[in-house]
Amino acid sequence: MVNYILKRFMIMVVTILIIVTLTFILMHAIPGSPFNEERGTSEAVQANLMSHYHLDEPLYVQYLIYLKSIVTFDFGPSIKQPTSTVNDLLGRGFPISLELGLVSIIVAVLSGILLGIIAALRHNGFIDYFAMTLAVLGISIPNFILATQLIQTFAVNLNILPAATWSSPKHMVLPVIALATGPMAIIARLTRSSMLEVLTQDYIKMARAKGLSPYKIVFKHALRNALMPVVTILGTLLAGILTGTFVLEKIFAIPGMGKYFVESINNRDYPVIMGTTVFYSTFLILMLFLVDVAYGLLDPRIKLHKKEAE
């Protein structure tokens, strides 16, 4: 286990370094500078600003400076919001984005698994067809399109739910539905197909022959193996949900990291772009690592290393 963790840690470090390098290269490949749109400032003032943010240094020097900031977890001040540091923006926005993402993934996993189980147990029936139709619609409709339709229906036409901001549980309903629907549909389809396969296995037939209750057969014997495909893609779905919050936060005016990230790209706020990229990359890679560990714990047949054949 220790060797596995160390190996995974080294892979995470290399992956983060590659992401940081690519982001740095792509960001500086765009012509111009963050101060090109400043009006009424002299060339001397712009030169001082460039010097203050080390933008007049060679690229390799800027790269080394930024690597140092990553190691010390001090991303410096925002260019467009000089009264706030990047760490301040992360501290204000990330808890809200994390709350939205975690609530959405919990809703997606629980509802998707339940819908998939019901569809499998009612195979080729009305409930099965209805559930799979919902799943296909959930996969087909982009979350930003669904978000606008939810706002139009429940906030504008029916006026029963708020359309924006993030100040009460009622404000969470529409963005969580918009964000969780797609992953829920994928999980439901995977759970259904996997459950149908597991229910035909010999050990399930043996459990039925012993007279075990349907509840024990489904939830104690079949579900654990049926969830293996779900756990396999959970890391990808988690990454999609947490990064998908950026667009929906803009639509629902949620004061999370999406607001700062989108604005930083438009304003070419280099410290904020790099800080949010590194922070989210590290967080997502850690989540993928935890999913790998959970995958190994869920199926004891999966080993962390190969044993020599005896």
Side-chain angles (χ1 to χ4, degrees):
M1 175 65 86
V2 174
N3 291 335
Y4 174 76
I5 293 176
L6 290 176
K7 184 183 297 184
R8 291 290 300 173
F9 178 78
M10 293 304 299
I11 293 175
M12 286 191 296
V13 172
V14 173
T15 303
I16 293 172
L17 183 61
I18 293 174
I19 292 173
V20 170
T21 304
L22 290 177
T23 304
F24 181 87
I25 293 173
L26 293 174
M27 185 174 58
H28 285 275
I30 303 174
S33 76
F35 308 110
N36 283 354
E37 297 181 356
E38 298 292 338
R39 303 300 182 188
T41 56
S42 64
E43 293 184 1
V45 171
Q46 290 198 20
N48 289 334
L49 289 171
M50 296 283 287
S51 176
H52 177 73
Y53 290 101
H54 305 288
L55 297 179
D56 59 342
E57 301 280 358
L59 286 180
Y60 75 90
V61 175
Q62 296 183 46
Y63 180 71
L64 293 176
I65 292 173
Y66 194 74
L67 288 182
K68 179 182 177 181
S69 70
I70 293 174
V71 174
T72 58
F73 200 71
D74 181 10
F75 299 109
S78 167
I79 293 177
K80 295 299 181 179
Q81 302 182 52
T83 58
S84 300
T85 65
V86 178
N87 291 34
D88 294 334
L89 299 180
L90 289 172
R92 290 199 298 264
F94 180 71
I96 297 175
S97 297
L98 180 63
E99 183 180 9
L100 173 59
L102 289 180
V103 173
S104 299
I105 194 66
I106 291 172
V107 170
V109 170
L110 295 181
S111 58
I113 290 175
L114 181 60
L115 193 63
I117 292 174
I118 294 174
L121 296 178
R122 298 291 186 268
H123 183 47
N124 287 334
F126 171 78
I127 296 179
D128 182 20
Y129 295 138
F130 179 73
M132 290 303 98
T133 300
L134 290 180
V136 171
L137 290 175
I139 296 174
S140 304
I141 302 175
N143 57 22
F144 58 88
I145 298 295
L146 180 59
T148 57
Q149 291 300 317
L150 290 173
I151 292 174
Q152 180 66 36
T153 302
F154 294 100
V156 178
N157 295 341
L158 300 178
N159 195 25
I160 59 177
L161 289 171
T165 69
W166 189 261
S167 56
S168 70
K170 290 181 64 176
H171 290 82
M172 299 174 63
V173 176
L174 295 184
V176 167
I177 292 175
L179 193 57
T181 298
M184 178 203 69
I186 295 173
I187 292 172
R189 288 177 62 85
L190 279 175
T191 303
R192 173 187 176 274
S193 60
S194 183
M195 182 66 74
L196 288 174
E197 181 181 354
V198 170
L199 290 175
T200 61
Q201 299 296 318
D202 291 338
Y203 72 94
I204 297 296
K205 296 178 181 178
M206 179 65 70
R208 287 172 176 164
K210 289 181 178 180
L212 295 181
S213 66
Y215 176 85
K216 286 187 177 181
I217 292 175
V218 172
F219 291 97
K220 186 176 181 180
H221 296 282
L223 185 59
R224 180 173 180 175
N225 290 329
L227 288 181
M228 294 303 297
V230 176
V231 176
T232 303
I233 67 163
L234 193 57
T236 304
L237 292 179
L238 181 63
I241 281 182
L242 291 180
T243 53
T245 61
F246 285 1
V247 177
L248 292 184
E249 284 174 11
K250 198 69 175 176
I251 294 175
F252 289 100
I254 298 174
M257 279 309 304
K259 170 187 175 183
Y260 301 120
F261 186 71
V262 173
E263 290 178 353
S264 68
I265 294 176
N266 293 333
N267 297 326
R268 300 192 61 188
D269 194 339
Y270 293 159
V272 178
I273 294 174
M274 296 295 291
T276 52
T277 300
V278 172
F279 186 82
Y280 265 92
S281 300
T282 303
F283 180 79
L284 292 176
I285 290 171
L286 287 174
M287 292 299 102
L288 293 174
F289 168 74
L290 293 178
V291 169
D292 288 343
V293 174
Y295 190 72
L297 294 175
L298 191 61
D299 190 349
R301 296 171 298 178
I302 298 176
K303 303 301 179 182
L304 300 181
H305 57 83
K306 295 181 180 179
K307 292 183 178 180
E308 295 182 0
E310 295 180 353

